Amino acid sequence: MTGGAVVAAGAAGTLAVGGVAAAGAVAVGGLTGTGVADLLAGGCLLAGAVLSLAAGIGVLRLPSTVDRIHAVTKPQVLGMLLILLGLTLRLRNPADLGMLLLVGLFQLATAPVTAQMIGRAAYRSNGVDRELLDTDELA
Amino acid sequence: MARWREQVIAAGWMVLMWNLLWGRFSLGNLVGGLLVAVAVLVFFPLPPVTLDARLRPVALLDLTVRFVAELVTASVHVAWVAVRPGYRPRSAIIAVELRVRTDLNLALTAELLSLVPGTLILDVDRKAGVLYVHVFDVRGTGNLTRSRRRIRDVERRLLRAIGSPAEVRLLTSHPVEEGPNR
């Protein structure tokens, strides 16, 4: 329950940041290079925040444990990557770029592993809703 | 001694990562990274991974572009099901036999699959090369056939991009029969 709340709060915060970034870029007006980059950054931050929020809602609402894992692997990972992309466009600093790239890479590399470990444990401890299962070739 | 080559590649990656973490490339970071890499390789030896990969740029680009596209579709799909009022998604667990046998490529296929539309690896039978996949939001059996085909597509694209010549040959010599089971 709290996990979802944390994700939602985080998403709300990012929404605000994305909104401010986009508004700032628009206020600058003249479509200079930096203005465009800021605008794109705002868009990425917004989209990433919305996806993270959806992932949080999914964790709260989807019927079984295994379904919920889908929510924390896909919208969550893409949301995170979009936020990193937005940060890259906003910071425009080579020193930060390496760190952001690594965060993205490790997110991509570790999320599926976590998902598989939790998924397997969930399956073995009846975290799958049999009512909603069409076929099961693992049984 | 193929072990050597892998150690060097691993060390190279670690040095690169060390420099990226510090945020700039310098002689000091290069030396520090090398020391860390050697320490890691000496004190935390990993089981050997057979690297018999060929990088094929065009196929790799194809894999990357498709992967990004599928990650976006998957994310939007799951996000939509999550917020859709009063909808309960049905799911299924299917066994898919893969043609990859090397641990690394099997792992990479599983990684990619976990991030593309509606599939999640629940269990792996390494000896038989079978993945047990949880399919999210199933609507009828036609959907399962599509999922199976999509999983095989991911495997094929991955092998075309980085598979060993032997594995690529397997793709053409072992066309997979389409059936309800396996």
Side-chain angles (χ1 to χ4, degrees), chain A residues 73-88:
Chain A
T73 41
K74 293 173 198 83
Q76 171 62 27
V77 169
L78 183 62
M80 172 117 182
L81 290 176
L82 280 169
I83 285 171
L84 292 173
L85 185 63
L87 281 173
T88 310

Side-chain angles (χ1 to χ4, degrees), chain B residues 30-145:
Chain B
L30 203 68
V31 174
L34 269 174
L35 286 175
V36 171
V38 169
V40 168
L41 287 171
V42 169
F43 293 114
F44 305 98
L46 283 168
V49 174
T50 42
L51 273 179
D52 187 15
R54 302 271 184 288
L55 283 181
R56 302 178 191 84
V58 177
L60 192 63
L61 187 71
D62 177 49
L63 177 79
T64 314
V65 171
R66 297 267 192 136
F67 172 71
V68 172
E70 293 204 313
L71 178 62
V72 174
T73 10
S75 301
V76 172
H77 171 210
V78 177
W80 168 236
V81 172
V83 296
R84 205 168 150 184
Y87 179 73
R88 279 171 80 75
R90 300 188 60 82
S91 48
I93 296 169
I94 54 175
V96 181
E97 198 175 338
L98 292 178
R99 287 151 296 186
V100 270
R101 282 295 184 274
T102 49
D103 279 347
L104 182 67
N105 287 348
L106 192 64
L108 283 173
T109 308
E111 288 247 348
L112 289 176
L113 280 178
S114 295
L115 294 165
V116 300
T119 46
L120 191 79
I121 313 294
L122 280 188
D123 223 327
V124 184
D125 184 342
R126 251 179 67 192
K127 280 203 178 59
V130 174
L131 290 179
Y132 292 96
V133 183
H134 181 265
V135 187
F136 180 77
D137 196 19
V138 180
R139 306 185 193 87
T141 46
N143 201 318
L144 285 183
T145 315

Side-chain angles (χ1 to χ4, degrees), chain A residues 96-111:
Chain A
D96 299 322
L97 195 67
M99 187 69 84
L100 294 172
L101 188 73
L102 282 178
V103 172
L105 274 178
F106 279 113
Q107 180 79 13
L108 279 171
T110 55

Side-chain angles (χ1 to χ4, degrees), chain A residues 3-137:
Chain A
V6 169
V7 174
T14 336
L15 273 174
V17 173
V20 169
V26 174
V28 170
L31 283 181
T32 51
T34 46
V36 171
D38 281 351
L39 202 60
L40 285 173
C44 286
L45 288 172
L46 269 172
V50 169
L51 278 170
S52 305
L53 181 65
I57 293 171
V59 171
L60 293 176
R61 286 193 67 237
L62 291 172
S64 72
T65 309
V66 182
D67 291 325
R68 286 179 215 127
I69 300 170
H70 280 279
V72 294
T73 41
K74 293 173 198 83
Q76 171 62 27
V77 169
L78 183 62
M80 172 117 182
L81 290 176
L82 280 169
I83 285 171
L84 292 173
L85 185 63
L87 281 173
T88 310
L89 288 166
R90 184 74 191 84
L91 295 169
R92 296 191 282 274
N93 177 359
D96 299 322
L97 195 67
M99 187 69 84
L100 294 172
L101 188 73
L102 282 178
V103 172
L105 274 178
F106 279 113
Q107 180 79 13
L108 279 171
T110 55
V113 178
T114 321
Q116 199 240 311
M117 300 306 280
I118 301 174
R120 188 167 59 179
Y123 179 83
R124 290 178 184 179
S125 55
N126 290 324
V128 180
D129 194 339
R130 297 261 159 226
E131 290 290 302
L132 295 168
L133 207 58
D134 281 350
T135 43
D136 183 358
E137 295 178 359

